[in-house]
Amino acid sequence: MQWIFTAPRRALALVSAICVAMLAFGLYLQHAVGLDPCPMCIVQRYALVGVAITTGLASLKPQTLWIKLWSLLALLLAGFGAFTAARQSWLQWNPPEFATCGRDFYGIVENYSFSRALPMIFRGSGDCSAVDWTFLGGTIANWSFLWFSAFALFLLALLVRRSRA
């Protein structure tokens, strides 16, 4: 476990690779299995892409400031992804009484202003509360929350450790 702090660039590259693998699995579920993502799933994908890019960029240079800045941005994106996944998990555990399928993410963004589209995306729809896939008792949103939380804890530990050094 010590290698995480002695070789932070490798650990950050590993986080980026895990994010890419998760994105590939999400695309597999969408295109091979036939699960259409809801608006909250798409937001989580964008957060995952952001974590992958920022941790990948953080792993490129050995400068401490470079690693800290990109890791901090990755931490914020992981927190945002965890928040979205937690909200979707809550919707799955407490589905609304009148679930209606809303527009897809792109339809919302294209047809409404940003100030109206943002609340619509996070409100969720019947699709966001549906449980279409489970693994070991957890839904996609549950697993997404766990991974985003793990990334956030790792990045926080890395930033605290780098600040003390």
Side-chain angles (χ1 to χ4, degrees):
M1 228 23 190
Q2 187 63 23
W3 70 271
I4 292 174
F5 299 113
T6 58
R9 292 176 58 204
R10 288 186 188 140
L12 288 164
L14 179 63
V15 169
S16 184
I18 291 170
C19 289
V20 170
M22 289 174 63
L23 287 165
F25 183 68
L27 291 174
Y28 164 78
L29 287 176
Q30 179 179 356
H31 296 291
V33 178
L35 299 178
D36 288 328
C38 69
M40 293 179 106
C41 295
I42 293 172
V43 170
Q44 290 170 56
R45 279 189 190 177
Y46 284 130
L48 200 57
V49 167
V51 172
I53 290 171
T54 52
T55 54
L57 287 171
S59 70
L60 291 179
K61 292 185 180 180
Q63 289 100 355
T64 302
L65 182 62
W66 177 268
I67 291 173
K68 282 183 182 179
L69 289 175
W70 286 112
S71 295
L72 181 62
L73 184 57
L75 174 63
L76 294 172
L77 288 166
F80 175 71
F83 169 77
T84 307
R87 174 71 177 142
Q88 184 177 5
S89 293
W90 186 84
L91 281 174
Q92 289 174 344
W93 291 327
N94 304 300
E97 284 185 38
F98 302 103
T100 59
C101 294
R103 294 177 179 241
D104 65 341
F105 179 77
Y106 299 106
I108 292 172
V109 172
E110 289 175 0
N111 294 318
Y112 296 99
S113 66
F114 182 74
S115 61
R116 287 187 63 205
L118 194 61
M120 292 173 94
I121 291 169
F122 286 105
R123 187 176 312 129
S125 65
D127 293 334
C128 291
S129 63
V131 176
D132 297 326
W133 182 89
T134 59
F135 178 71
L136 296 176
T139 65
I140 295 172
N142 302 148
W143 284 104
S144 183
F145 174 76
L146 288 175
W147 277 104
F148 276 123
S149 298
F151 295 150
L153 288 173
F154 162 73
L155 291 163
L156 185 63
L158 182 69
L159 285 168
V160 168
R161 181 81 172 222
R162 304 275 307 168
S163 295
R164 289 183 184 168

